Amino acid sequence: MSDNSPAIFPASLRTVGRLAPAIAILGLLLLGAGLGIGGSSLDRVIQYYYYGWIITLGFSLGCYGLMLLHYVVKGSWGYPVIRIWESGARMLPGLLIAALPIFLLREHLFPWAQPELTSNPENAVLIHRLGYLNPTWIAIRAIIYFTFWIGSTQFLTGLSRKQDETKDPTLIQARTNFSAVALVLFVLTANFAYTDWVMSLELRWYSTIFGVWFVISNSMCALALASVITSLFHNKAPYADSVDNAVRKDYGNLLLMHTMVWAYFSFSQWVIIWSGNLPDEIEFYLHRFADGWLSVGAFLVIFQFFGPFLLLLSGKTKRKPMLLGAVATWLILMRLTDICWQIFPSFKGTNPLFLVPALGAALVFLGIWLTAVMRSMSSALAIPVWVEPIKDEVLHHA
Amino acid sequence: MADIDYGGDGPEPLNDALITGNNNTYKSIENQITRLIFNQRTHPKSWLFVFVVGFLLLNLLMMAMTWLLYKGVGIWGINIPCAWGFDIINFVWWIGIGHAGTLISAILLLLRQQWRNSINRFAEAMTLFAVACAGIYPLFHTGRPWVAFYWLGPIGPNILGLWPQFRSPLVWDVFAVSTYASVSLLFWFVGLIPDLATLRDKTENKALKVLFGMISMGWRGSARHWERYETAYLILAGLSTPLVLSVHTIVSFDFAVGIVPGWHTTIFPPYFVAGAVYAGFAMVLTLAIPIRAWYGLKNQITMRHLDWMAKVMLTTGLIVFYGYVMEVFYGWYSGNQFEWAMILNRFKGPYAPFYWALVFCNGIAPQILWSPKLRRNLVVLFVVAQIVSIGMWLERYIIIPVSLTRDFLPSSWGYYTPSVWDLGMYAGTIGLFIVLMFLFIRFMPIINIFEMKDLLARMHHAHHAEDDHTATAPGSAHAALANAEE
């Protein structure tokens, strides 16, 4: 059997599996070096852990969202990498377990878990929210969200793997029908989940766009990951045959679209809150414009938006695998930086130097996550066999 | 009316073919579309009936505008605290309707979605006419439209000695809408040129030959012409795409940058854009369903097209409904008494019936489109499109007067009732839209002739490739197209 056969776990993906622990070790070194900068109190350690968890959850939920989207629209861009996204989504049970320390040590993170804040009558907004933001309800809701995400992932990826064996084409429509409903519920659950787990870091702040902002941010992470892997191994199985210039161009265009939507959502949120300048809302930006964090924000405007935007407009970037891979890697780094900017200014006494240990924590989590993703991928075909009967629209319509 | 050949004796088929029927040729496609212009007897009596209704309403618009200019904006129902009423409601409604045209013509082109080919022309026309209707409202709300340009344009201090407030999204609107209108007009006209040349070549009437000859700009269909045409069309599509998003985003900023409860919410920009596409597709369906029946165009605007449009409407409707849910949840979550009072006012206040009608029209009724059977029932689809159009109008009504009439101080609360002139002007712009649309149907090719011929060529090519087993790799045509673009 040749190396190109989908029946064996390709060498390229084995390489990713071998590289992943190295990423975790690199992260550990960064974290160790960085702990000296921000101190190694329990507060700080749990903050880094929480940040790493949020980043990794973002990758898994991004994979989950793109998997659902692909099952609904059946675009040709999704077939070569659907197994990466399926496996990424299959990591959600591990992330549920990894959330336990965050829940148990919640008073180090969330205002609603800090009695000195919840008992202060000056915090009227926080007190108003306590009926919703309390440990019992937060835990119940988290279980509901994870049950839905995990259950639907198991069902869909089960169907996908079953089709490898049975080659039953009716399963394609079954997945589409299920995914259309799941996609709607996913956006709703993700919105409420990120309200509980990130928005509530601020005492009073709220924003109606924040949930979908995270949906796009996560989706960009998953798409960038797929672009990096397919670009790195563009001349090796299984991507040498399945990712041609047209599909690579699709990845470039999708990354461009995500970059623009990210900027659109971020700008909209900022301009509306800045114009209103209301005390309940503006605290979010006041925290992010102080203690040196403004420079990180400005950096993101230039290097998360303008840089990738201009590069991805060019056809050359989308044609050259290594160039596209480099832009996608950069976008992942920018996502890590941006999420750090979203989270850390909510904690007292932080500044941009905290990026170093935070990035270390994220790499530790991502390294472990990627190792597990590759293990999951090795138990199925890297490219599903059911890709074959699905033809391009023009051919199909003839 | 032409006989319609669905390619079989049974009911109208739902397959994936973008052109249905047997024995389609380039000539048959050309004839089916051009006969609407060259053979004026093709037009049924229903055309005349709708046109006359539209024309009468247009006259009502003329009366309403004349009276407005004579008496001033006091003839409208607006007053403090509700200084914005039907004028801005209808402005936003019309602008939204226009968005589907640009989405179909530009965004679907960039996404290489070929199902746009048979609906893009009249959807683009719809955009232009809807923007024309929209533009009337802010212009006449100034009371003196002949000096509005000085007030709004970037040409120095106006007659009151003040500069326009460039931090106001109302000023951004002027730039956004006028740029959008200009680019949409150019896009529509450039897309028409090859078809105008076809009309020039086909007509036997000398006057028409001269007319079409002039407006087809000397098109000869040479390789160089096609190459330049394709480049220009792609550039215009690239320009239109951010424009269509920016226009309704800025329209949403008109409200969201203020601090009025119910306006100041960060989800507004994407929610307005989705709402615009939602309303726009409802209008495209409102026009497409009768037109394809009256003019025997069921082979070009197929059940597949209608099915996809229904799906787009369902998807954008879900986004809009998501926006409503977020408004209610964060209204409570904010802990802000004014935000929550606004939500309760919507639920139980004097305008509550409108709010619940809105939830039904935009949130509940379109859910029947999940059912493939109902989605493909044209009566059901047409009725849902009407419900959505009403719902999207109600949405603007709920956002504007309901918030303005009950803001922070109970002592300044009020109640908004539109005057007869508000109603007349609204009905009048519907008349203007109908008249322009029906004149367009009668005198311009409503389906893009050359793109349909191109689509037929691709279908034939792909069919032969399948027969010859030369197109076996999935995505090969897709790849060929993309590689050709490069």
Side-chain angles (χ1 to χ4, degrees):
Chain A
M1 198 175 280
S2 78
D3 196 37
N4 276 338
S5 165
I8 56 168
F9 191 53
S12 54
L13 294 174
R14 280 204 301 275
T15 310
V16 177
R18 279 196 295 269
L19 276 175
I23 294 173
I25 292 166
L26 175 70
L28 212 54
L29 291 174
L30 265 180
L31 181 62
L35 278 174
I37 296 171
S40 54
S41 65
L42 183 60
D43 269 7
R44 292 297 176 226
V45 171
I46 190 66
Q47 284 163 7
Y48 297 137
Y49 182 90
Y50 162 77
Y51 165 74
W53 182 79
I54 286 288
I55 289 286
T56 318
L57 177 74
F59 272 80
S60 265
L61 285 182
C63 289
Y64 175 74
L66 284 178
M67 175 186 78
L68 294 179
L69 183 69
H70 173 69
Y71 284 154
V72 175
V73 302
K74 301 190 276 267
S76 54
W77 43 269
Y79 297 115
V81 293
I82 187 69
R83 282 282 144 84
I84 299 177
W85 293 334
E86 284 179 359
S87 302
R90 285 167 75 99
M91 296 303 113
L92 283 164
L95 283 157
L96 175 60
I97 296 165
L100 266 178
I102 297 169
F103 183 71
L104 295 173
L105 297 168
R106 56 189 176 274
E107 70 272 17
H108 296 273
L109 299 167
F110 299 100
W112 50 263
Q114 295 167 14
E116 71 275 15
L117 292 176
T118 55
S119 59
N120 185 346
E122 282 184 8
N123 296 325
V125 173
L126 183 63
I127 293 166
H128 163 80
R129 290 175 186 164
L130 284 178
Y132 183 78
L133 293 179
N134 62 67
T136 312
W137 277 112
I138 292 253
I140 290 172
R141 284 198 298 274
I143 290 167
I144 293 171
Y145 304 146
F146 270 102
T147 306
F148 166 66
W149 297 334
I150 293 168
S152 50
T153 300
Q154 293 300 328
F155 175 70
L156 286 167
T157 56
L159 281 186
S160 168
R161 290 172 186 221
K162 185 178 168 191
Q163 199 175 2
D164 281 348
E165 295 160 16
T166 62
K167 299 186 175 57
D168 176 6
T170 60
L171 295 179
I172 295 173
Q173 194 56 40
R175 271 199 309 269
T176 301
N177 294 345
F178 184 86
S179 300
V181 180
L183 197 57
V184 176
L185 294 174
F186 163 61
V187 176
L188 269 178
T189 49
N191 176 79
F192 289 111
Y194 279 101
T195 302
D196 287 355
W197 303 337
V198 183
M199 196 192 290
S200 71
L201 287 173
E202 290 285 344
L203 202 60
R204 294 182 293 179
W205 179 69
Y206 66 96
S207 167
T208 43
I209 206 172
F210 197 62
V212 284
W213 183 94
F214 255 102
V215 170
I216 281 294
S217 167
N218 296 343
S219 172
M220 200 191 312
C221 290
L223 188 64
L225 176 71
S227 305
V228 171
I229 293 176
T230 54
S231 299
L232 268 179
F233 303 105
H234 66 97
N235 52 3
K236 294 195 167 64
Y239 305 115
D241 294 336
S242 57
V243 179
D244 58 14
N245 269 351
V247 175
R248 193 166 298 110
K249 190 175 175 186
D250 283 344
Y251 295 147
N253 285 334
L254 283 167
L255 283 173
L256 177 65
M257 187 204 78
H258 276 80
T259 308
M260 289 194 289
V261 175
W262 171 86
Y264 174 60
F265 284 4
S266 303
F267 174 75
S268 297
Q269 179 178 275
W270 173 75
V271 81
I272 290 169
I273 290 178
W274 174 82
S275 301
N277 200 20
L278 296 172
D280 289 354
E281 297 176 335
I282 202 69
E283 67 170 16
F284 179 81
Y285 287 106
L286 290 180
H287 291 160
R288 278 146 193 83
F289 288 175
D291 302 322
W293 285 111
L294 180 61
S295 53
V296 179
F299 178 82
L300 285 166
V301 171
I302 298 166
F303 294 105
Q304 158 76 79
F305 177 62
F306 285 108
F309 172 74
L310 293 174
L311 283 170
L312 289 167
L313 273 182
S314 152
K316 192 177 173 186
T317 310
K318 290 174 266 193
R319 234 178 359 255
K320 305 267 181 201
M322 297 321 285
L323 210 49
L324 183 67
V327 173
T329 309
W330 179 252
L331 280 174
I332 291 176
L333 272 174
M334 288 301 95
R335 293 320 307 135
L336 303 188
T337 311
D338 186 23
I339 301 294
C340 187
W341 191 74
Q342 298 289 329
I343 286 175
F344 272 85
S346 297
F347 303 133
K348 278 183 190 158
T350 58
N351 59 56
L353 290 176
F354 279 65
L355 264 169
V356 179
L359 287 179
L363 291 181
V364 172
F365 264 85
L366 283 177
I368 297 167
W369 180 83
L370 198 54
T371 310
V373 168
M374 288 302 131
R375 276 181 72 93
S376 169
M377 276 193 80
S378 67
S379 63
L381 301 175
I383 308 265
V385 291
W386 43 262
V387 170
E388 206 56 33
I390 297 173
K391 304 208 169 186
D392 183 81
E393 289 234 311
V394 174
L395 295 179
H396 198 48
H397 293 161
Chain B
M1 201 172 288
D3 290 334
I4 299 159
D5 172 18
Y6 300 130
D9 298 329
E12 210 175 330
L14 175 73
N15 53 37
D16 281 343
L18 293 175
I19 302 175
T20 53
N22 296 328
N23 308 319
N24 280 309
T25 61
Y26 300 138
K27 191 167 184 178
S28 72
I29 286 179
E30 204 171 274
N31 286 341
Q32 271 193 318
I33 301 167
T34 55
R35 77 192 150 87
L36 305 186
I37 302 160
F38 294 141
N39 183 4
Q40 289 290 322
R41 288 183 185 170
T42 314
H43 297 276
K45 281 185 181 161
S46 36
W47 182 93
L48 189 65
F49 175 75
V50 180
F51 182 81
V52 167
V53 170
F55 188 71
L56 290 174
L57 292 174
L58 175 61
N59 281 282
L60 186 61
L61 177 69
M62 295 301 168
M63 277 172 61
M65 293 202 305
T66 309
W67 191 238
L68 179 86
L69 293 179
Y70 181 70
K71 293 287 284 184
V73 291
I75 65 164
W76 284 350
I78 50 173
N79 207 336
I80 299 302
C82 193
W84 278 359
F86 258 43
D87 41 340
I88 194 107
I89 295 168
N90 297 334
F91 163 73
V92 180
W93 190 70
W94 277 118
I95 281 280
I97 284 171
H99 277 48
T102 321
L103 181 98
I104 291 168
S105 55
I107 298 179
L108 295 186
L109 175 80
L110 295 180
L111 294 175
R112 300 193 289 265
Q113 296 294 307
Q114 290 173 344
W115 63 278
R116 64 180 277 288
N117 288 12
S118 62
I119 51 173
N120 70 341
R121 176 66 53 71
F122 75 84
E124 283 170 35
M126 188 192 82
T127 295
L128 287 176
F129 304 149
V131 171
C133 292
I136 289 172
Y137 287 99
L139 204 59
F140 279 77
H141 191 182
T142 61
R144 280 172 279 174
W146 54 93
V147 286
F149 188 67
Y150 294 97
W151 295 341
L152 300 168
I155 50 172
N158 67 25
I159 55 174
L160 295 174
L162 295 170
W163 286 84
Q165 171 54 285
F166 285 111
R167 280 193 296 180
S168 164
L170 295 177
V171 175
W172 308 347
D173 249 350
V174 177
F175 296 102
V177 175
S178 53
T179 312
Y180 178 52
S182 317
V183 174
S184 297
L185 181 64
L186 203 57
F187 195 38
W188 181 66
F189 177 67
V190 168
L192 263 170
I193 289 174
D195 282 1
L196 293 172
T198 303
L199 294 174
R200 173 199 62 198
D201 296 343
K202 278 185 80 79
T203 185
E204 289 166 8
N205 180 312
K206 277 192 176 174
L208 280 181
K209 204 176 260 301
V210 171
L211 177 70
F212 287 130
M214 282 166 66
I215 55 179
S216 61
M217 317 263 293
W219 178 269
R220 283 285 176 273
S222 68
R224 182 177 291 180
H225 282 187
W226 278 114
E227 195 238 332
R228 287 181 181 167
Y229 167 83
E230 293 281 349
T231 309
Y233 203 63
L234 268 178
I235 290 172
L236 285 169
L239 280 174
S240 298
T241 301
L243 273 177
V244 72
L245 297 177
S246 71
V247 170
H248 231 57
T249 297
I250 291 171
V251 168
S252 81
F253 284 164
D254 289 348
F255 307 103
V257 300
I259 56 167
V260 176
W263 290 13
H264 185 68
T265 175
T266 52
I267 195 77
F268 257 26
Y271 150 77
F272 263 57
V273 172
V277 176
Y278 188 38
F281 267 85
M283 187 58 85
V284 175
L285 282 166
T286 301
L287 295 168
I289 292 172
I291 287 173
R292 70 193 282 275
W294 291 345
Y295 294 109
L297 295 172
K298 295 180 181 178
N299 284 334
Q300 281 83 32
I301 305 172
T302 67
M303 281 303 286
R304 175 54 74 197
H305 287 95
L306 300 178
D307 189 57
W308 278 334
M309 284 196 269
K311 283 180 181 171
V312 173
M313 204 163 73
L314 176 63
T315 309
T316 48
L318 284 165
I319 298 172
V320 167
F321 197 38
Y322 170 82
Y324 300 163
V325 175
M326 291 306 109
E327 280 186 312
V328 174
F329 175 73
Y330 289 102
W332 173 83
Y333 183 87
S334 67
N336 181 319
Q337 59 175 319
F338 300 109
E339 286 290 330
W340 186 235
M342 176 273 297
I343 297 292
L344 292 180
N345 184 37
R346 286 183 181 178
F347 285 175
K348 300 188 288 191
Y351 298 99
F354 292 115
Y355 180 75
W356 294 114
L358 158 73
V359 171
F360 171 77
C361 291
N362 282 354
I364 296 166
Q367 301 313 316
I368 63 170
L369 298 178
W370 282 95
S371 156
K373 195 176 171 188
L374 291 172
R375 196 165 64 222
R376 289 160 200 164
N377 179 321
L378 295 188
V379 176
V380 171
L381 189 58
F382 187 79
V383 170
V384 171
Q386 304 319 301
I387 292 174
V388 169
S389 291
I390 294 167
M392 286 310 296
W393 188 89
L394 283 171
E395 181 189 293
R396 281 66 184 243
Y397 194 87
I398 292 297
I399 290 171
I400 298 153
V402 177
S403 282
L404 284 176
T405 50
R406 290 203 175 184
D407 57 6
F408 303 98
L409 285 176
S411 59
S412 65
W413 286 2
Y415 190 82
Y416 171 76
T417 312
S419 73
V420 67
W421 294 109
D422 280 308
L423 296 167
M425 201 152 160
Y426 178 44
T429 48
I430 292 175
L432 173 65
F433 182 78
I434 291 173
V435 165
L436 291 172
M437 204 67 215
F438 275 64
L439 285 174
F440 165 74
I441 290 170
R442 193 141 190 162
F443 299 112
M444 284 284 170
I446 58 169
I447 292 179
N448 198 321
I449 303 169
F450 78 91
E451 283 192 5
M452 292 303 284
K453 290 197 278 188
D454 178 60
L455 182 60
L456 189 66
R458 284 168 193 261
M459 287 169 66
H460 283 162
H461 174 76
H463 188 68
H464 293 312
E466 270 200 335
D467 286 349
D468 301 343
H469 303 288
T470 52
T472 50
S476 61
H478 178 77
L481 278 175
N483 291 333
E485 275 174 37
E486 287 158 12

